[in-house]
Amino acid sequence: MTDHVSLRSGVYADSVSLLQVSKQVAATPGVRDAQVAMATPLNLETLAVMGFDVPADASPNDMVVALRLDAASVETVSLEGALAAVDAALAAASAPRAAGDTAVAPPRTTATSLRDAPEETIVMVSVPGPSAFVEAMDAVEAGHDVMVFSDNVPLDQEVALKQAAATRDVLVMGPDCGTAVVGGVGLGFANVVRPGPVGVVAASGTGTQQILALLDQAGVGVSAALGVGGRDLSAAVGGRSTRTALARLDADPATTHVVLVSKPPAAEVADAISAYAESLSVPVELVLLSADTDLTGGTEALLATLDVPTPTWRRWGVPDAVHGPGRLRGLFVGGTLCDEAMLVATQELGPIRSNIPLTGDDALDAASVLAGDLGDEHVMIDFGDDALTVGRAHPMIDPTLRLAALAHTAADADTAVVLLDVVLGHGAEPDPAASLAPAIADARATAAAEHGRTLPVVVTLVGTRSDPQDLERQAAALAEAGAYVFSSNAEATRHAVALVAPVPATTAGEAR
Amino acid sequence: MTAAPTVVTVGTSLLADAIDEQAVVARRVDWQPPMPGTADDLAAVAADPLRAEANARAVAAYLGVTAQLVDVLPASEALGLQRGDFLHAGPPIDWERASGPMRGALMGAAALEGLVADPEDAPAFFRAGAGAGYTLDPCHHHHAVGPMAGVVTPSMWVFVLEDASTGARTYCPLNEGLGKVLRYGAYSDDVLARLRWMSSVLGPVLQRAVRSAGPVDVTALLAQMLQMGDEAHNRNRAGTLMLLRDLVPAMIRSGSRAGDVADAVAFVGGNDHFFLNLAMPACKLALDAARDIEGSTMVVAMARNGTDFGIQVSGTGDQWFTGPAQVADGLYLGSYGPDDANPDIGDSAITETAGIGGFAMATAPAIVRLVGGSVPDALATTRRMGEITLAENPRWTIPVLEFAGTPTGIDVTRVCRTSILPQINTGMAGRVAGTGQVGAGLVTPPTEIFPAALAALAERAHERAAGRAPTE
């Protein structure tokens, strides 16, 4: 071993830099120990313990360079080399560093993002269901409205969230709220609509979108669209968000008419909400979906109160003049559209099997849907249902599952008519027809090739002229592929139903 | 409802993109899944109706404390310690599980108190167990904090800090300096000689000065230090000098021998860490005020005994949540290396618990290379700690961050949600008893203690929701 100790007078570096220098030099091959330090009493003691012989005249203003070289490597690493390493490390320690990343990292929780947020900030939560409540609660506690796009949020968490919101006059939209328009900004899946007098309160997303699109076609604008989530009017949740949303719109000077859209709620909740709606100064049109009430009809009723003539709802393409035999297969991305279609079709066709059935007897499990096994009855599938979106994007973003089901269905000789929906707007696929139109053409070709017949494909196209996907282009592409395209889901469903040979209710479900 | 709102988005980037397309720039949260297995407990605690107000109360109580140095006393007098009583840092531990530096400090302290003739005789004394006539208890259980091994015995002198509004008190021994010192586990004759001098000269000199100069506002000194480049854990230079500024006139006038005063001033002035032992009890005093608030998820203590790292949480009483202490990542003195370092030790993480130390790294550019590289890293560290804390401390501000308050009140739920662990600046003790300090660096708590604390909070929330009394 070779020891080297030298003093550098009048040179100073802070102790931290010198620790780093020592570390670097010690990492030089052949250097066993390296201690570069100011000659303070403590450091001198350390050096003595290490066995270095430091000159007695060292003062705290001197820098000590102490090196111990391995005997074996003295040949290859000269003392000069080691000292050069010291010089290099000292120079590096005092050199200005390359500019680090001074950008401020984005916030990691909703709570921190809201610390300096303006009062009118809205939070949109779309994290996986098990984590949605915690983020939404951050918003509620900070006094901000929140839209919970996430699905698979447990019911008790929804109740807790809405209870907390009620005490702070905060609006919770959702969970499982697909669509909202606030201050002209569309949240989630939202169509581009003109400003206007109508406020929409809706339990779910695609129902809202149908109404927005039909109002747009009639030339009527919207002040706000507030989603409340599909369970808000259940007995457990009790319409908490519906009340808050109605109150907001009642207080909004831009809103002169309100339309409230929901599946049939629990009877006592329906009564309470109806009573509440009547207590408001703004007129509220209740559209509670049933066999007798659909979204198109509700919109028409609203237009009547606005004194706006109802237009002829647009259609594109040419109808197939074909009648059954076989079954109607509805493959939907919109839950409310699927619901509405079932309510409309059931009157003529009897029970319809579904993963979101009108009655429990008609339930079709998610596994069967994924396997393409739709049985041989009338079927309507909601591909946006929670069970089909666990760990997967909504079908308005990711069409994979529905496209697979369409191909499967077309190959089934029992399929008489396919009913589809296409929903445009912000958040949805940038060009849904790009994949769906060829799939429709393929489906019709498959039916023709395998069974020698025409397979009618009926499509509901929900969108406005201003939507980013270009409504006319989408409609044209779908019609070109052979689909008959409607802007009204109720009308589309009635058309599809008419194409299917009626099956007596008594034998429905026994046809196999 | 007509003005375009600001939109905060958390989750799917596609939906944030859809906002951006509408010429409203979404403020995106960089969300990541919570620590594994914590989602249910996080939801349960988030739903706890007590939580929000409990945390607000905890923060307010913490911020309401002004820590004043009111006296300097022997531990026998201040803490009622009797011969054979030993306090130590961190969560409870016995001799068998104690690490090298903890054993070394206990050995030295046993000799200091005359319980053994030679420190080397002490292991037999401690191995004999409770029947041998000694007690071993955490400082934290006695309103005290001790740096590193944190061993406090009756003859050692302690600072006495008091909250003027409540009269609550906390205690911390006097700082011994650096290098071979008892708190790092060294126990040689010169270590014991220094401790005896501290008890016979330094303590009384400081006592007379504090009593005649009147209370020293430690909370206010901390505010000034943070503006002067001290983060008050690994750098206390400004604080130490300001303390001398406040006390030296009184030391000179108070009747102590001139030579003793000179020795005391030289000792304190020569030890940049002297003020740490005032910062620590000041932090503990403020955090103790936030204890025992049912429903609060705020961490009120982080402490290590060299074997275990433990935390205590406001809403779970005196329960410790512990895991194995980690070895710090840092720089080593002399030829020491990672193999020489003991796992993390000491109550000094009370400074980080209170929002300084590693949490205030941005204010201490002089030491950033020791504990994390570059100045931008230091700024990022302080900002990152803001992600896991409930508030900012308006009294303790950081100039370079536009005078933002230091991040205050570690929230168990935020730690579990973000997986961001508290950043602690620390010294490293030698693994072998008697070694002393071997380096300094950065350390974090073991991850698992936060989900454990969260589970306990969730359990209490469930119990309350079910109408049953919370269990300890």
Side-chain angles (χ1 to χ4, degrees), chain B residues 145-173:
Chain B
V145 273
M148 303 309 289
V151 170
V152 183
T153 50
S155 72
M156 295 181 189
W157 284 57
V158 297
F159 290 122
V160 181
L161 274 70
E162 186 175 288
D163 177 15
S165 60
T166 63
R169 289 186 162 197
T170 52
Y171 312 90
C172 185

PDB file of all heavy atoms in Angstrom, chain B residues 145-173:
ATOM      1  N   VAL B 145     -38.070  13.479  22.989  1.00  0.00           N
ATOM      2  CA  VAL B 145     -37.494  12.950  21.749  1.00  0.00           C
ATOM      3  C   VAL B 145     -35.982  12.919  21.906  1.00  0.00           C
ATOM      4  O   VAL B 145     -35.396  13.819  22.519  1.00  0.00           O
ATOM      5  CB  VAL B 145     -37.859  13.810  20.516  1.00  0.00           C
ATOM      6  CG1 VAL B 145     -39.177  13.372  19.914  1.00  0.00           C
ATOM      7  CG2 VAL B 145     -37.868  15.291  20.829  1.00  0.00           C
ATOM      8  N   GLY B 146     -35.364  11.887  21.329  1.00  0.00           N
ATOM      9  CA  GLY B 146     -33.915  11.792  21.388  1.00  0.00           C
ATOM     10  C   GLY B 146     -33.352  11.502  20.021  1.00  0.00           C
ATOM     11  O   GLY B 146     -33.855  10.627  19.314  1.00  0.00           O
ATOM     12  N   PRO B 147     -32.317  12.237  19.590  1.00  0.00           N
ATOM     13  CA  PRO B 147     -31.735  11.970  18.276  1.00  0.00           C
ATOM     14  C   PRO B 147     -30.965  10.646  18.275  1.00  0.00           C
ATOM     15  O   PRO B 147     -30.473  10.207  19.307  1.00  0.00           O
ATOM     16  CB  PRO B 147     -30.804  13.159  18.045  1.00  0.00           C
ATOM     17  CG  PRO B 147     -30.501  13.700  19.390  1.00  0.00           C
ATOM     18  CD  PRO B 147     -31.671  13.354  20.282  1.00  0.00           C
ATOM     19  N   MET B 148     -30.889  10.020  17.111  1.00  0.00           N
ATOM     20  CA  MET B 148     -30.187   8.741  16.929  1.00  0.00           C
ATOM     21  C   MET B 148     -30.633   7.751  18.009  1.00  0.00           C
ATOM     22  O   MET B 148     -31.815   7.535  18.137  1.00  0.00           O
ATOM     23  CB  MET B 148     -28.670   8.945  16.891  1.00  0.00           C
ATOM     24  CG  MET B 148     -28.227   9.920  15.807  1.00  0.00           C
ATOM     25  SD  MET B 148     -28.872   9.580  14.126  1.00  0.00           S
ATOM     26  CE  MET B 148     -27.958   8.122  13.694  1.00  0.00           C
ATOM     27  N   ALA B 149     -29.717   7.173  18.776  1.00  0.00           N
ATOM     28  CA  ALA B 149     -30.140   6.194  19.778  1.00  0.00           C
ATOM     29  C   ALA B 149     -31.088   6.830  20.791  1.00  0.00           C
ATOM     30  O   ALA B 149     -31.944   6.162  21.368  1.00  0.00           O
ATOM     31  CB  ALA B 149     -28.930   5.596  20.491  1.00  0.00           C
ATOM     32  N   GLY B 150     -30.904   8.125  21.003  1.00  0.00           N
ATOM     33  CA  GLY B 150     -31.862   8.852  21.838  1.00  0.00           C
ATOM     34  C   GLY B 150     -31.888   8.395  23.287  1.00  0.00           C
ATOM     35  O   GLY B 150     -32.907   8.533  23.965  1.00  0.00           O
ATOM     36  N   VAL B 151     -30.776   7.856  23.753  1.00  0.00           N
ATOM     37  CA  VAL B 151     -30.773   7.349  25.130  1.00  0.00           C
ATOM     38  C   VAL B 151     -30.689   8.518  26.110  1.00  0.00           C
ATOM     39  O   VAL B 151     -29.830   9.391  25.981  1.00  0.00           O
ATOM     40  CB  VAL B 151     -29.612   6.363  25.341  1.00  0.00           C
ATOM     41  CG1 VAL B 151     -29.449   6.027  26.825  1.00  0.00           C
ATOM     42  CG2 VAL B 151     -29.869   5.095  24.525  1.00  0.00           C
ATOM     43  N   VAL B 152     -31.639   8.534  27.039  1.00  0.00           N
ATOM     44  CA  VAL B 152     -31.687   9.586  28.055  1.00  0.00           C
ATOM     45  C   VAL B 152     -31.710   8.908  29.425  1.00  0.00           C
ATOM     46  O   VAL B 152     -32.490   7.985  29.649  1.00  0.00           O
ATOM     47  CB  VAL B 152     -32.943  10.473  27.899  1.00  0.00           C
ATOM     48  CG1 VAL B 152     -32.924  11.602  28.927  1.00  0.00           C
ATOM     49  CG2 VAL B 152     -33.025  11.040  26.492  1.00  0.00           C
ATOM     50  N   THR B 153     -30.828   9.376  30.305  1.00  0.00           N
ATOM     51  CA  THR B 153     -30.785   8.828  31.667  1.00  0.00           C
ATOM     52  C   THR B 153     -30.854   9.981  32.664  1.00  0.00           C
ATOM     53  O   THR B 153     -30.700  11.148  32.279  1.00  0.00           O
ATOM     54  CB  THR B 153     -29.508   8.006  31.874  1.00  0.00           C
ATOM     55  OG1 THR B 153     -28.387   8.783  31.449  1.00  0.00           O
ATOM     56  CG2 THR B 153     -29.557   6.715  31.073  1.00  0.00           C
ATOM     57  N   PRO B 154     -31.083   9.676  33.951  1.00  0.00           N
ATOM     58  CA  PRO B 154     -31.406  10.729  34.922  1.00  0.00           C
ATOM     59  C   PRO B 154     -30.388  11.869  34.977  1.00  0.00           C
ATOM     60  O   PRO B 154     -30.775  13.026  35.147  1.00  0.00           O
ATOM     61  CB  PRO B 154     -31.453   9.973  36.248  1.00  0.00           C
ATOM     62  CG  PRO B 154     -31.768   8.574  35.888  1.00  0.00           C
ATOM     63  CD  PRO B 154     -31.171   8.322  34.543  1.00  0.00           C
ATOM     64  N   SER B 155     -29.121  11.575  34.804  1.00  0.00           N
ATOM     65  CA  SER B 155     -28.133  12.635  35.010  1.00  0.00           C
ATOM     66  C   SER B 155     -27.946  13.520  33.790  1.00  0.00           C
ATOM     67  O   SER B 155     -27.282  14.545  33.873  1.00  0.00           O
ATOM     68  CB  SER B 155     -26.786  12.024  35.412  1.00  0.00           C
ATOM     69  OG  SER B 155     -26.200  11.378  34.303  1.00  0.00           O
ATOM     70  N   MET B 156     -28.498  13.123  32.661  1.00  0.00           N
ATOM     71  CA  MET B 156     -28.370  13.969  31.470  1.00  0.00           C
ATOM     72  C   MET B 156     -29.316  15.170  31.590  1.00  0.00           C
ATOM     73  O   MET B 156     -30.404  15.064  32.128  1.00  0.00           O
ATOM     74  CB  MET B 156     -28.734  13.172  30.215  1.00  0.00           C
ATOM     75  CG  MET B 156     -27.783  12.034  29.913  1.00  0.00           C
ATOM     76  SD  MET B 156     -28.299  11.193  28.404  1.00  0.00           S
ATOM     77  CE  MET B 156     -27.212   9.770  28.438  1.00  0.00           C
ATOM     78  N   TRP B 157     -28.856  16.274  31.014  1.00  0.00           N
ATOM     79  CA  TRP B 157     -29.703  17.474  31.054  1.00  0.00           C
ATOM     80  C   TRP B 157     -30.548  17.568  29.792  1.00  0.00           C
ATOM     81  O   TRP B 157     -30.113  17.152  28.713  1.00  0.00           O
ATOM     82  CB  TRP B 157     -28.830  18.736  31.210  1.00  0.00           C
ATOM     83  CG  TRP B 157     -28.332  18.894  32.629  1.00  0.00           C
ATOM     84  CD1 TRP B 157     -27.615  17.985  33.331  1.00  0.00           C
ATOM     85  CD2 TRP B 157     -28.565  20.002  33.493  1.00  0.00           C
ATOM     86  NE1 TRP B 157     -27.359  18.452  34.604  1.00  0.00           N
ATOM     87  CE2 TRP B 157     -27.936  19.700  34.721  1.00  0.00           C
ATOM     88  CE3 TRP B 157     -29.237  21.224  33.366  1.00  0.00           C
ATOM     89  CZ2 TRP B 157     -27.951  20.583  35.813  1.00  0.00           C
ATOM     90  CZ3 TRP B 157     -29.243  22.100  34.446  1.00  0.00           C
ATOM     91  CH2 TRP B 157     -28.617  21.769  35.667  1.00  0.00           C
ATOM     92  N   VAL B 158     -31.722  18.119  29.972  1.00  0.00           N
ATOM     93  CA  VAL B 158     -32.641  18.214  28.821  1.00  0.00           C
ATOM     94  C   VAL B 158     -33.164  19.643  28.668  1.00  0.00           C
ATOM     95  O   VAL B 158     -33.275  20.391  29.635  1.00  0.00           O
ATOM     96  CB  VAL B 158     -33.858  17.259  28.976  1.00  0.00           C
ATOM     97  CG1 VAL B 158     -33.404  15.810  28.997  1.00  0.00           C
ATOM     98  CG2 VAL B 158     -34.677  17.587  30.217  1.00  0.00           C
ATOM     99  N   PHE B 159     -33.445  19.987  27.425  1.00  0.00           N
ATOM    100  CA  PHE B 159     -34.169  21.228  27.153  1.00  0.00           C
ATOM    101  C   PHE B 159     -35.635  21.006  27.520  1.00  0.00           C
ATOM    102  O   PHE B 159     -36.203  19.937  27.254  1.00  0.00           O
ATOM    103  CB  PHE B 159     -34.109  21.586  25.666  1.00  0.00           C
ATOM    104  CG  PHE B 159     -32.749  22.023  25.192  1.00  0.00           C
ATOM    105  CD1 PHE B 159     -32.103  21.350  24.169  1.00  0.00           C
ATOM    106  CD2 PHE B 159     -32.129  23.143  25.755  1.00  0.00           C
ATOM    107  CE1 PHE B 159     -30.865  21.767  23.711  1.00  0.00           C
ATOM    108  CE2 PHE B 159     -30.887  23.569  25.287  1.00  0.00           C
ATOM    109  CZ  PHE B 159     -30.241  22.873  24.276  1.00  0.00           C
ATOM    110  N   VAL B 160     -36.254  22.030  28.090  1.00  0.00           N
ATOM    111  CA  VAL B 160     -37.673  21.979  28.417  1.00  0.00           C
ATOM    112  C   VAL B 160     -38.399  22.990  27.542  1.00  0.00           C
ATOM    113  O   VAL B 160     -38.129  24.192  27.621  1.00  0.00           O
ATOM    114  CB  VAL B 160     -37.918  22.310  29.907  1.00  0.00           C
ATOM    115  CG1 VAL B 160     -39.415  22.216  30.229  1.00  0.00           C
ATOM    116  CG2 VAL B 160     -37.104  21.390  30.799  1.00  0.00           C
ATOM    117  N   LEU B 161     -39.275  22.488  26.686  1.00  0.00           N
ATOM    118  CA  LEU B 161     -40.042  23.373  25.813  1.00  0.00           C
ATOM    119  C   LEU B 161     -41.494  23.387  26.262  1.00  0.00           C
ATOM    120  O   LEU B 161     -42.032  22.351  26.674  1.00  0.00           O
ATOM    121  CB  LEU B 161     -39.940  22.938  24.350  1.00  0.00           C
ATOM    122  CG  LEU B 161     -38.712  23.509  23.635  1.00  0.00           C
ATOM    123  CD1 LEU B 161     -37.439  22.859  24.154  1.00  0.00           C
ATOM    124  CD2 LEU B 161     -38.822  23.329  22.131  1.00  0.00           C
ATOM    125  N   GLU B 162     -42.110  24.538  26.145  1.00  0.00           N
ATOM    126  CA  GLU B 162     -43.469  24.676  26.643  1.00  0.00           C
ATOM    127  C   GLU B 162     -44.310  25.438  25.632  1.00  0.00           C
ATOM    128  O   GLU B 162     -43.837  26.390  25.009  1.00  0.00           O
ATOM    129  CB  GLU B 162     -43.449  25.422  27.980  1.00  0.00           C
ATOM    130  CG  GLU B 162     -44.799  25.493  28.665  1.00  0.00           C
ATOM    131  CD  GLU B 162     -44.696  26.140  30.041  1.00  0.00           C
ATOM    132  OE1 GLU B 162     -44.150  25.487  30.960  1.00  0.00           O
ATOM    133  OE2 GLU B 162     -45.128  27.301  30.178  1.00  0.00           O
ATOM    134  N   ASP B 163     -45.570  24.984  25.497  1.00  0.00           N
ATOM    135  CA  ASP B 163     -46.535  25.729  24.681  1.00  0.00           C
ATOM    136  C   ASP B 163     -47.185  26.763  25.577  1.00  0.00           C
ATOM    137  O   ASP B 163     -47.859  26.416  26.553  1.00  0.00           O
ATOM    138  CB  ASP B 163     -47.576  24.767  24.107  1.00  0.00           C
ATOM    139  CG  ASP B 163     -48.652  25.495  23.303  1.00  0.00           C
ATOM    140  OD1 ASP B 163     -48.435  26.677  22.948  1.00  0.00           O
ATOM    141  OD2 ASP B 163     -49.701  24.886  23.042  1.00  0.00           O
ATOM    142  N   ALA B 164     -46.976  28.033  25.257  1.00  0.00           N
ATOM    143  CA  ALA B 164     -47.431  29.103  26.140  1.00  0.00           C
ATOM    144  C   ALA B 164     -48.933  29.017  26.393  1.00  0.00           C
ATOM    145  O   ALA B 164     -49.398  29.297  27.498  1.00  0.00           O
ATOM    146  CB  ALA B 164     -47.082  30.453  25.520  1.00  0.00           C
ATOM    147  N   SER B 165     -49.706  28.590  25.390  1.00  0.00           N
ATOM    148  CA  SER B 165     -51.153  28.647  25.560  1.00  0.00           C
ATOM    149  C   SER B 165     -51.701  27.495  26.393  1.00  0.00           C
ATOM    150  O   SER B 165     -52.697  27.653  27.078  1.00  0.00           O
ATOM    151  CB  SER B 165     -51.845  28.682  24.192  1.00  0.00           C
ATOM    152  OG  SER B 165     -51.507  27.533  23.469  1.00  0.00           O
ATOM    153  N   THR B 166     -51.056  26.350  26.356  1.00  0.00           N
ATOM    154  CA  THR B 166     -51.609  25.199  27.091  1.00  0.00           C
ATOM    155  C   THR B 166     -50.725  24.749  28.241  1.00  0.00           C
ATOM    156  O   THR B 166     -51.163  24.004  29.100  1.00  0.00           O
ATOM    157  CB  THR B 166     -51.770  23.985  26.158  1.00  0.00           C
ATOM    158  OG1 THR B 166     -50.473  23.589  25.691  1.00  0.00           O
ATOM    159  CG2 THR B 166     -52.660  24.326  24.977  1.00  0.00           C
ATOM    160  N   GLY B 167     -49.470  25.166  28.245  1.00  0.00           N
ATOM    161  CA  GLY B 167     -48.553  24.706  29.273  1.00  0.00           C
ATOM    162  C   GLY B 167     -48.008  23.313  29.009  1.00  0.00           C
ATOM    163  O   GLY B 167     -47.247  22.777  29.826  1.00  0.00           O
ATOM    164  N   ALA B 168     -48.394  22.714  27.862  1.00  0.00           N
ATOM    165  CA  ALA B 168     -47.861  21.390  27.524  1.00  0.00           C
ATOM    166  C   ALA B 168     -46.344  21.483  27.345  1.00  0.00           C
ATOM    167  O   ALA B 168     -45.821  22.516  26.913  1.00  0.00           O
ATOM    168  CB  ALA B 168     -48.513  20.881  26.243  1.00  0.00           C
ATOM    169  N   ARG B 169     -45.628  20.411  27.708  1.00  0.00           N
ATOM    170  CA  ARG B 169     -44.170  20.442  27.635  1.00  0.00           C
ATOM    171  C   ARG B 169     -43.609  19.259  26.855  1.00  0.00           C
ATOM    172  O   ARG B 169     -44.222  18.189  26.823  1.00  0.00           O
ATOM    173  CB  ARG B 169     -43.574  20.423  29.051  1.00  0.00           C
ATOM    174  CG  ARG B 169     -43.795  21.723  29.807  1.00  0.00           C
ATOM    175  CD  ARG B 169     -43.090  21.738  31.138  1.00  0.00           C
ATOM    176  NE  ARG B 169     -42.962  23.118  31.631  1.00  0.00           N
ATOM    177  CZ  ARG B 169     -42.122  23.505  32.589  1.00  0.00           C
ATOM    178  NH1 ARG B 169     -41.337  22.624  33.175  1.00  0.00           N
ATOM    179  NH2 ARG B 169     -42.073  24.773  32.961  1.00  0.00           N
ATOM    180  N   THR B 170     -42.455  19.485  26.246  1.00  0.00           N
ATOM    181  CA  THR B 170     -41.683  18.388  25.662  1.00  0.00           C
ATOM    182  C   THR B 170     -40.219  18.568  26.034  1.00  0.00           C
ATOM    183  O   THR B 170     -39.797  19.655  26.459  1.00  0.00           O
ATOM    184  CB  THR B 170     -41.809  18.336  24.128  1.00  0.00           C
ATOM    185  OG1 THR B 170     -41.497  19.619  23.595  1.00  0.00           O
ATOM    186  CG2 THR B 170     -43.190  17.905  23.690  1.00  0.00           C
ATOM    187  N   TYR B 171     -39.443  17.490  25.833  1.00  0.00           N
ATOM    188  CA  TYR B 171     -38.067  17.460  26.331  1.00  0.00           C
ATOM    189  C   TYR B 171     -37.130  16.820  25.317  1.00  0.00           C
ATOM    190  O   TYR B 171     -37.520  15.923  24.564  1.00  0.00           O
ATOM    191  CB  TYR B 171     -38.009  16.661  27.639  1.00  0.00           C
ATOM    192  CG  TYR B 171     -39.067  17.074  28.624  1.00  0.00           C
ATOM    193  CD1 TYR B 171     -40.319  16.455  28.626  1.00  0.00           C
ATOM    194  CD2 TYR B 171     -38.828  18.114  29.531  1.00  0.00           C
ATOM    195  CE1 TYR B 171     -41.316  16.851  29.517  1.00  0.00           C
ATOM    196  CE2 TYR B 171     -39.820  18.513  30.437  1.00  0.00           C
ATOM    197  CZ  TYR B 171     -41.064  17.872  30.421  1.00  0.00           C
ATOM    198  OH  TYR B 171     -42.038  18.277  31.300  1.00  0.00           O
ATOM    199  N   CYS B 172     -35.873  17.265  25.342  1.00  0.00           N
ATOM    200  CA  CYS B 172     -34.873  16.640  24.476  1.00  0.00           C
ATOM    201  C   CYS B 172     -33.514  16.849  25.132  1.00  0.00           C
ATOM    202  O   CYS B 172     -33.236  17.937  25.657  1.00  0.00           O
ATOM    203  CB  CYS B 172     -34.895  17.299  23.093  1.00  0.00           C
ATOM    204  SG  CYS B 172     -33.797  16.524  21.884  1.00  0.00           S
ATOM    205  N   PRO B 173     -32.642  15.840  25.092  1.00  0.00           N
ATOM    206  CA  PRO B 173     -31.315  16.018  25.688  1.00  0.00           C
ATOM    207  C   PRO B 173     -30.494  17.045  24.899  1.00  0.00           C
ATOM    208  O   PRO B 173     -30.836  17.396  23.780  1.00  0.00           O
ATOM    209  CB  PRO B 173     -30.694  14.625  25.605  1.00  0.00           C
ATOM    210  CG  PRO B 173     -31.440  13.933  24.522  1.00  0.00           C
ATOM    211  CD  PRO B 173     -32.834  14.491  24.554  1.00  0.00           C
TER     212      PRO B 173
END
